[in-house]
Amino acid sequence: MELKGKVALVTGGGRGIGQGIALALAGAGADVAVADLDQAIAEETAAKVEAAGRRSVAISVNVAQPDSVRAMVEKVEAELGGLDIAVNNAGIISIQSIEELTAEDFDRIMAVNAKGVFLCTQAAVRVMRPRRWGRIINVASIAGKIGFPDLSHYTASKFAVIGFTNAVAKEVALDGITVNALCPGIVGTGMWRGEDGLAGRWREEGESEEASWARHQKTLLPQGVAQTPEDMGQLAVYLACAEHVTGQAIAVDGGCTL
Ligand code: NAI
């Protein structure tokens, strides 16, 4: 699979799954713009892309803000000469029971996970449609396929991403643009690990964070082990190359949603 001459953009690319996807796309030959709320970590990933022999640019963005998204895409075009592959990966999570979930928290999660994907997809299509080629990869979740307790707001945001992906895929199908959702299962990034991650928050009495992480892998995943950012990178490269796969929501989840 070959992406030489293509320009990719990965939001939330400063760490975790976004970084894995950015490096996989660079490994397949693409130049990769790395955008993140945190400019410093975007620069770290951009340096890794350059170390792999590809061009890169680090961009500070808040995907929930229309002006910020517009400026991000303008910068990618100005610095790297176009936009062929948009990976809309930035996302956030919080754990709240349905009783404690506030309207503000619901809005905050939806603003980044759902509205952010809308704004980034819209900005990408505006560049791709006139060029009659494009690949849009929206990072959803297994929570876009099945519900998880205490994550009703996050689940709603990821179901929204999959429905949106399906609709836009049909809208742009005649224009050489594919739109797919990539659904990670359980990946040991900042979202899961540490005291504030899901493994830290979902501990049983007296359980260490490490033990909680091991337990969740065993109980939630038929294969018993977490997926990696590199696993997500492999599917992203495939979707960036594939011509006739569109409107799909593909899980890389070790069988979690079976
Ligand atoms: P992470 O927390 O390690 O990385 C997320 C990145 O997004 C961070 O670099 C953060 O600075 C950036 N970000 C957050 N809000 C932003 C905003 N408003 N604008 C721009 N950048 C922003 O998380 P991880 O695990 O790498 O998650 C990436 C995506 O994968 C998310 O959409 C998440 O929902 C999804 N996912 C993750 C799973 C996991 O097990 N880690 C499972 C299923 C889905």
Side-chain angles (χ1 to χ4, degrees):
M1 286 185 275
E2 175 67 54
L3 294 173
K4 213 168 234 160
K6 300 293 186 201
V7 174
L9 161 65
V10 183
T11 67
R15 68 179 203 183
I17 290 171
Q19 184 178 77
I21 291 174
L23 296 181
L25 294 171
D31 295 326
V32 186
V34 182
D36 204 288
L37 198 55
D38 183 337
Q39 169 85 17
I41 61 173
E43 280 168 12
E44 284 172 24
T45 303
K48 290 183 181 177
V49 170
E50 284 171 354
R54 302 296 156 204
R55 294 186 304 151
S56 187
V57 58
I59 303 170
S60 166
V61 70
N62 181 349
V63 298
Q65 301 288 343
D67 291 347
S68 183
V69 170
R70 211 171 298 125
M72 168 182 72
V73 171
E74 279 169 11
K75 186 152 187 188
V76 178
E77 287 191 276
E79 300 271 334
L80 298 179
L83 176 60
D84 304 297
I85 303 158
V87 182
N88 302 323
N89 163 78
I92 55 173
I93 201 165
S94 69
I95 302 172
Q96 263 128 6
S97 70
I98 186 62
E99 292 96 332
E100 64 187 11
L101 178 61
T102 64
E104 288 73 24
D105 278 329
F106 186 89
D107 285 348
R108 192 173 61 84
I109 295 284
M110 292 299 279
V112 177
N113 295 3
K115 188 172 76 177
V117 165
F118 147 59
L119 291 171
C120 293
T121 298
Q122 180 182 62
V125 167
R126 284 178 175 156
V127 177
M128 292 169 178
R129 221 171 195 164
R131 296 161 62 117
R132 304 195 65 77
W133 200 94
R135 298 287 181 265
I136 297 173
I137 301 168
N138 294 326
V139 176
S141 170
I142 48 175
K145 288 175 172 273
I146 56 176
F148 288 87
D150 296 335
L151 296 178
S152 59
H153 50 325
Y154 181 78
T155 301
S157 74
K158 294 300 188 177
F159 268 71
V161 169
I162 291 178
F164 174 80
T165 297
N166 189 299
V168 180
K170 287 180 185 157
E171 196 171 325
V172 300
L174 288 174
D175 299 306
I177 304 170
T178 67
V179 191
N180 289 288
L182 185 165
C183 303
I186 295 186
V187 186
T189 63
M191 196 164 270
W192 263 95
R193 300 306 310 272
E195 299 300 302
D196 291 334
L198 296 176
R201 296 283 309 280
W202 278 337
R203 265 185 291 187
E204 286 174 352
E205 186 91 13
E207 190 181 45
S208 69
E209 188 270 344
E210 188 72 37
S212 163
W213 171 237
R215 176 172 57 82
H216 281 99
Q217 290 177 73
K218 286 214 171 61
T219 52
L220 291 173
L221 299 169
Q223 290 184 331
V225 287
Q227 297 82 55
T228 64
E230 292 74 25
D231 293 329
M232 305 309 144
Q234 285 177 357
L235 179 58
V237 169
Y238 171 75
L239 291 173
C241 294
E243 208 176 321
H244 297 127
V245 178
T246 196
Q248 302 305 305
I250 303 176
V252 183
D253 68 353
C256 181
T257 46
L258 286 175

